[in-house]
Amino acid sequence: MDVKPGRLWVVATPIGNLDDLSPRAAEVLRTVATVAAEDTRHSTPLLARVGSRARTLALHEHNEREQAERIVALLREGQDVALVADAGTPLVSDPGFRLVRAAREAGIEVSPVPGPCAAIAALSVAGLPSDRFVFEGFLPAKSAARRERLQALAAETRTLIFHESSHRIADMLDDCVAVFGGARAAVVARELTKLFETVLSAPLGELAARVHADANQQRGEFVVLVGGADGADADVRLAEGRRVFALLRDELPPARAAKLAAAITGAPRKALYGEG
Ligand code: SAM
């Protein structure tokens, strides 16, 4: 007899305030046989709170490949499984992508139970343009690599969204000032939905100074948002021109590379490559 496969539920959980767990999320966590959790110890109190008696399986970045196979086998046997992260929406800077892909490839139905997501919560209160945005997750931990990544985003006109930790928030803001300039509009959203929630909004230079000056503003969890570059801005065109010139110079004589980079980006050719 053919067994009807189970469904994989991708369930968002609170990012601080436990009342943000939706009734539907609670119901799914109560009814599934198995919950795949990033850290089972972390998720146990939440499961207890909703009266879930589901078995828990750990699914984290180091075991996701093997666990995905195991979970897909359970789904094929007809079990429903819920995937949760420590906080927020699974797969957003969190494990789960391999499991979801494997389930889809196996023809398993995958359904979202939407809810909290720190990046979207921060965007919703930042007061920065929100029609188009770029989610960049965590930047590299080392400053040189971080600046290189930021440099690649210098001409981006959409609002930028980053995750950041308490160890690096001050240095990360310094790097943003160095690459984007101190005048860009930015927002630091800290401890959203928790007791010490703060949303600071100011030009980048001022924000960096405020975070440096107050140790409390370096505690907790952060989302940093930076307004997009003004596409018409001469500095932005020059930054983009330099980036494109550097790429083309590997393939073409410098004068030709500068001419093309200037035509593509609108940067002045002479500023890219002497008088050539
Ligand atoms: N999947 C999660 C989500 O949907 O929000 C994000 C997980 S990621 C591993 C954790 C990062 O999210 C933190 O380092 C911080 O940047 C951000 N974050 C999580 N909770 C937050 C909160 N309450 N306030 C501000 N940022 C938060």
Side-chain angles (χ1 to χ4, degrees):
M1 200 182 75
D2 279 352
V3 179
K4 187 175 177 299
R7 186 186 294 251
L8 176 63
W9 299 94
V10 180
V11 181
T13 58
I15 56 170
N17 189 323
L18 292 180
D19 287 341
D20 289 339
L21 188 80
S22 74
R24 186 163 167 252
E27 180 63 19
V28 167
L29 295 176
R30 253 195 306 277
T31 50
V32 292
T34 301
V35 172
E38 191 183 355
D39 177 344
T40 53
R41 280 169 313 176
H42 185 97
S43 297
T44 301
L46 181 76
L47 297 179
R49 186 180 150 98
V50 300
S52 168
R53 302 172 69 178
R55 168 173 82 129
T56 53
L57 284 182
L59 178 113
H60 43 72
E61 57 174 321
H62 304 295
N63 73 357
E64 189 171 347
R65 269 174 221 279
E66 309 87 81
Q67 287 295 63
E69 275 179 34
R70 197 169 153 203
I71 293 166
V72 168
L74 295 174
L75 289 157
R76 279 201 163 114
E77 285 165 17
Q79 272 196 32
D80 272 13
V81 177
L83 170 67
V84 297
D86 282 354
T89 301
L91 280 81
V92 180
S93 284
D94 267 328
F97 147 68
R98 289 190 178 80
L99 170 61
V100 169
R101 183 175 60 183
R104 290 204 156 281
E105 283 172 2
I108 305 283
E109 282 188 72
V110 184
S111 290
V113 182
C117 175
I120 299 299
L123 181 68
S124 74
V125 294
L128 291 170
S130 52
D131 284 351
R132 293 184 174 74
F133 57 88
V134 181
F135 173 65
E136 276 287 318
F138 288 100
L139 285 163
K142 297 222 167 79
S143 183
R146 191 160 57 222
R147 285 195 187 200
E148 200 175 306
R149 181 77 207 122
L150 291 172
Q151 195 62 57
L153 296 165
E156 174 59 63
T157 53
R158 294 167 291 184
T159 294
L160 299 164
I161 308 182
F162 304 96
H163 280 157
E164 197 46 273
S165 73
S166 53
H167 324 293
R168 288 193 274 273
I169 183 69
D171 291 346
M172 181 265 192
L173 289 171
D174 287 348
D175 287 340
C176 284
V177 172
V179 174
F180 300 141
R184 275 258 197 125
V187 170
V188 174
R190 180 175 85 96
E191 295 287 89
L192 293 173
T193 78
K194 302 186 205 176
L195 187 59
F196 295 110
E197 173 180 294
T198 36
V199 179
L200 301 178
S201 164
L204 261 175
E206 194 185 316
L207 259 188
R210 280 166 76 177
V211 170
H212 272 282
D214 182 354
N216 284 328
Q217 292 303 330
Q218 299 172 30
R219 299 205 170 100
E221 298 191 281
F222 301 84
V223 177
V224 177
L225 301 98
V226 179
D230 175 352
D233 193 288
D235 290 348
V236 172
R237 282 202 304 270
L238 185 57
E240 187 60 359
R242 287 196 174 122
R243 191 180 73 79
V244 172
F245 176 57
L247 290 171
L248 295 177
R249 200 179 39 194
D250 290 342
E251 308 290 334
L252 298 171
R256 176 109 188 97
K259 192 172 171 198
L260 274 177
I264 292 167
T265 63
R269 181 172 51 85
K270 286 180 189 160
L272 301 178
Y273 182 65
E275 299 296 312

Coordinates of all heavy atoms in Angstrom, one line a residue, residues 123-160:
L123 N 13.7 46.3 9.1 CA 13.4 47.1 7.9 C 12.0 47.8 8.1 O 11.8 49.0 7.7 CB 13.3 46.2 6.7 CG 13.0 46.9 5.3 CD1 14.1 47.8 4.9 CD2 12.7 45.8 4.2
S124 N 11.1 47.1 8.8 CA 9.8 47.7 9.0 C 9.7 48.9 9.9 O 8.8 49.6 9.9 CB 8.8 46.6 9.5 OG 9.0 46.4 10.9
V125 N 10.8 49.1 10.7 CA 10.8 50.3 11.6 C 11.9 51.3 11.3 O 12.1 52.3 12.0 CB 10.9 49.9 13.1 CG1 9.6 49.1 13.5 CG2 12.1 49.0 13.3
A126 N 12.7 51.0 10.2 CA 13.9 51.8 10.0 C 13.6 53.1 9.4 O 14.4 54.1 9.6 CB 14.9 51.0 9.1
G127 N 12.6 53.2 8.6 CA 12.3 54.5 7.9 C 13.3 54.7 6.8 O 13.5 55.9 6.4
L128 N 13.8 53.7 6.2 CA 14.7 53.7 5.0 C 13.8 53.2 3.9 O 12.9 52.4 4.1 CB 15.9 52.9 5.2 CG 16.9 53.5 6.2 CD1 18.1 52.5 6.5 CD2 17.5 54.8 5.7
P129 N 14.2 53.6 2.6 CA 13.4 53.1 1.5 C 13.3 51.5 1.5 O 14.3 50.9 1.8 CB 14.1 53.5 0.3 CG 14.8 54.8 0.7 CD 15.2 54.5 2.2
S130 N 12.1 51.0 1.4 CA 11.9 49.6 1.6 C 11.3 48.8 0.4 O 11.1 47.6 0.5 CB 11.0 49.4 2.8 OG 9.9 50.1 2.7
D131 N 11.0 49.5 -0.7 CA 10.5 48.8 -1.8 C 11.5 47.8 -2.4 O 11.1 46.7 -2.9 CB 10.2 49.8 -3.0 CG 8.9 50.6 -2.7 OD1 8.2 50.3 -1.7 OD2 8.7 51.6 -3.4
R132 N 12.7 48.2 -2.4 CA 13.8 47.3 -2.8 C 14.9 47.3 -1.8 O 15.3 48.3 -1.3 CB 14.4 47.7 -4.2 CG 13.4 47.6 -5.3 CD 14.0 48.0 -6.6 NE 13.1 47.8 -7.7 CZ 12.0 48.5 -7.9 NH1 11.8 49.6 -7.2 NH2 11.2 48.2 -8.9
F133 N 15.4 46.1 -1.4 CA 16.4 46.0 -0.4 C 17.3 44.8 -0.7 O 16.9 43.9 -1.4 CB 15.9 46.0 1.0 CG 14.9 44.9 1.3 CD1 15.3 43.6 1.7 CD2 13.5 45.1 1.1 CE1 14.5 42.6 1.9 CE2 12.6 44.0 1.3 CZ 13.1 42.8 1.8
V134 N 18.5 44.8 -0.1 CA 19.4 43.7 -0.3 C 19.8 43.1 1.0 O 20.2 43.9 1.9 CB 20.7 44.2 -1.0 CG1 21.7 43.0 -1.2 CG2 20.4 44.9 -2.3
F135 N 19.5 41.8 1.2 CA 19.9 41.2 2.5 C 21.2 40.6 2.4 O 21.4 39.7 1.5 CB 18.8 40.2 2.9 CG 19.2 39.4 4.1 CD1 19.3 40.0 5.3 CD2 19.5 38.0 4.0 CE1 19.7 39.3 6.5 CE2 19.9 37.3 5.1 CZ 20.0 38.0 6.4
E136 N 22.2 41.1 3.2 CA 23.6 40.6 3.0 C 24.0 39.7 4.2 O 25.1 39.2 4.2 CB 24.5 41.8 3.0 CG 24.7 42.4 1.6 CD 25.5 41.5 0.7 OE1 26.6 41.0 1.1 OE2 25.1 41.4 -0.5
G137 N 23.1 39.4 5.1 CA 23.4 38.5 6.2 C 24.6 39.0 7.0 O 24.8 40.2 7.2
F138 N 25.5 38.1 7.5 CA 26.7 38.5 8.2 C 27.8 38.8 7.3 O 28.0 38.1 6.3 CB 27.1 37.3 9.1 CG 26.3 37.1 10.3 CD1 25.3 36.0 10.3 CD2 26.4 37.9 11.4 CE1 24.5 35.8 11.4 CE2 25.5 37.6 12.6 CZ 24.6 36.6 12.5
L139 N 28.5 39.9 7.6 CA 29.7 40.2 6.8 C 30.9 39.4 7.3 O 30.8 38.8 8.4 CB 30.1 41.7 7.1 CG 29.2 42.7 6.3 CD1 29.3 44.1 6.9 CD2 29.5 42.7 4.8
P140 N 32.0 39.3 6.6 CA 33.2 38.5 7.1 C 33.6 39.1 8.4 O 33.5 40.3 8.7 CB 34.2 38.7 6.0 CG 33.5 39.1 4.8 CD 32.2 39.8 5.2
A141 N 34.2 38.2 9.2 CA 34.6 38.6 10.6 C 35.9 39.5 10.6 O 36.0 40.4 11.4 CB 34.9 37.4 11.4
K142 N 36.8 39.3 9.6 CA 38.0 40.1 9.6 C 37.8 41.4 8.8 O 37.2 41.4 7.8 CB 39.1 39.3 8.9 CG 39.4 38.0 9.7 CD 40.9 37.8 9.8 CE 41.3 36.7 10.8 NZ 41.1 35.3 10.3
S143 N 38.4 42.5 9.3 CA 38.2 43.8 8.8 C 38.5 43.9 7.3 O 37.7 44.5 6.5 CB 38.9 44.8 9.6 OG 38.6 46.1 9.1
A144 N 39.7 43.3 6.9 CA 40.1 43.5 5.5 C 39.0 42.9 4.5 O 38.6 43.5 3.6 CB 41.4 42.9 5.2
A145 N 38.6 41.7 4.9 CA 37.6 41.0 4.0 C 36.2 41.7 4.1 O 35.5 41.8 3.1 CB 37.4 39.5 4.5
R146 N 36.0 42.3 5.3 CA 34.7 43.0 5.5 C 34.7 44.2 4.6 O 33.7 44.5 3.9 CB 34.5 43.4 7.0 CG 33.2 43.9 7.3 CD 33.0 43.7 8.8 NE 34.0 44.5 9.6 CZ 34.5 44.0 10.7 NH1 34.2 42.8 11.1 NH2 35.4 44.7 11.3
R147 N 35.8 45.0 4.6 CA 35.8 46.2 3.8 C 35.7 45.8 2.3 O 35.1 46.6 1.5 CB 37.1 47.0 4.0 CG 37.0 47.7 5.4 CD 38.1 48.7 5.5 NE 38.1 49.3 6.8 CZ 38.6 50.4 7.2 NH1 39.2 51.2 6.2 NH2 38.6 50.9 8.4
E148 N 36.3 44.7 1.9 CA 36.3 44.3 0.5 C 34.8 44.0 0.1 O 34.4 44.4 -0.9 CB 37.1 43.1 0.4 CG 37.5 42.8 -1.1 CD 38.5 41.6 -1.1 OE1 39.5 41.6 -0.4 OE2 38.1 40.7 -1.9
R149 N 34.1 43.4 1.0 CA 32.7 43.0 0.7 C 31.9 44.4 0.6 O 31.0 44.5 -0.3 CB 32.1 42.1 1.8 CG 30.7 41.7 1.6 CD 30.6 40.6 0.5 NE 29.2 40.7 0.0 CZ 29.0 40.8 -1.3 NH1 30.0 40.9 -2.2 NH2 27.8 40.9 -1.8
L150 N 32.1 45.2 1.6 CA 31.4 46.5 1.6 C 31.7 47.3 0.3 O 30.8 48.0 -0.2 CB 31.8 47.3 2.9 CG 31.3 46.8 4.2 CD1 31.8 47.6 5.4 CD2 29.7 46.8 4.3
Q151 N 33.0 47.3 -0.1 CA 33.4 48.0 -1.3 C 32.6 47.5 -2.5 O 32.1 48.3 -3.3 CB 34.9 47.8 -1.5 CG 35.5 48.7 -2.5 CD 35.5 50.2 -2.0 OE1 36.0 50.5 -1.0 NE2 34.8 51.0 -2.8
A152 N 32.4 46.2 -2.5 CA 31.6 45.7 -3.7 C 30.1 46.1 -3.6 O 29.4 46.1 -4.6 CB 31.6 44.1 -3.6
L153 N 29.7 46.7 -2.5 CA 28.3 47.1 -2.3 C 28.2 48.7 -2.4 O 27.1 49.2 -2.2 CB 27.8 46.6 -1.0 CG 27.6 45.1 -0.8 CD1 27.4 44.8 0.6 CD2 26.5 44.6 -1.7
A154 N 29.4 49.3 -2.6 CA 29.4 50.8 -2.4 C 28.4 51.5 -3.4 O 27.9 52.6 -3.0 CB 30.8 51.3 -2.6
A155 N 28.2 50.9 -4.5 CA 27.4 51.6 -5.5 C 26.0 51.1 -5.5 O 25.1 51.5 -6.3 CB 28.0 51.5 -6.9
E156 N 25.7 50.2 -4.6 CA 24.3 49.6 -4.6 C 23.3 50.6 -4.2 O 23.5 51.3 -3.2 CB 24.3 48.4 -3.5 CG 23.0 47.8 -3.3 CD 22.3 47.2 -4.5 OE1 22.9 46.3 -5.1 OE2 21.3 47.8 -4.9
T157 N 22.2 50.8 -5.0 CA 21.3 51.8 -4.7 C 20.1 51.3 -3.8 O 19.3 52.2 -3.3 CB 20.7 52.4 -6.0 OG1 20.2 51.3 -6.8 CG2 21.7 53.1 -6.8
R158 N 20.0 50.0 -3.6 CA 18.9 49.5 -2.7 C 19.4 49.6 -1.3 O 20.6 49.6 -1.0 CB 18.6 48.1 -3.1 CG 17.9 48.0 -4.5 CD 17.8 46.6 -5.0 NE 19.2 46.1 -5.3 CZ 19.4 44.9 -5.8 NH1 18.4 44.1 -6.1 NH2 20.6 44.5 -6.1
T159 N 18.4 49.6 -0.3 CA 18.8 49.6 1.1 C 19.5 48.3 1.4 O 19.1 47.2 1.0 CB 17.5 49.7 1.9 OG1 16.9 51.0 1.7 CG2 17.7 49.6 3.4
L160 N 20.6 48.4 2.2 CA 21.4 47.2 2.6 C 21.0 46.8 4.0 O 20.9 47.6 4.9 CB 22.9 47.6 2.5 CG 23.4 48.1 1.2 CD1 24.8 48.7 1.4 CD2 23.6 46.9 0.3

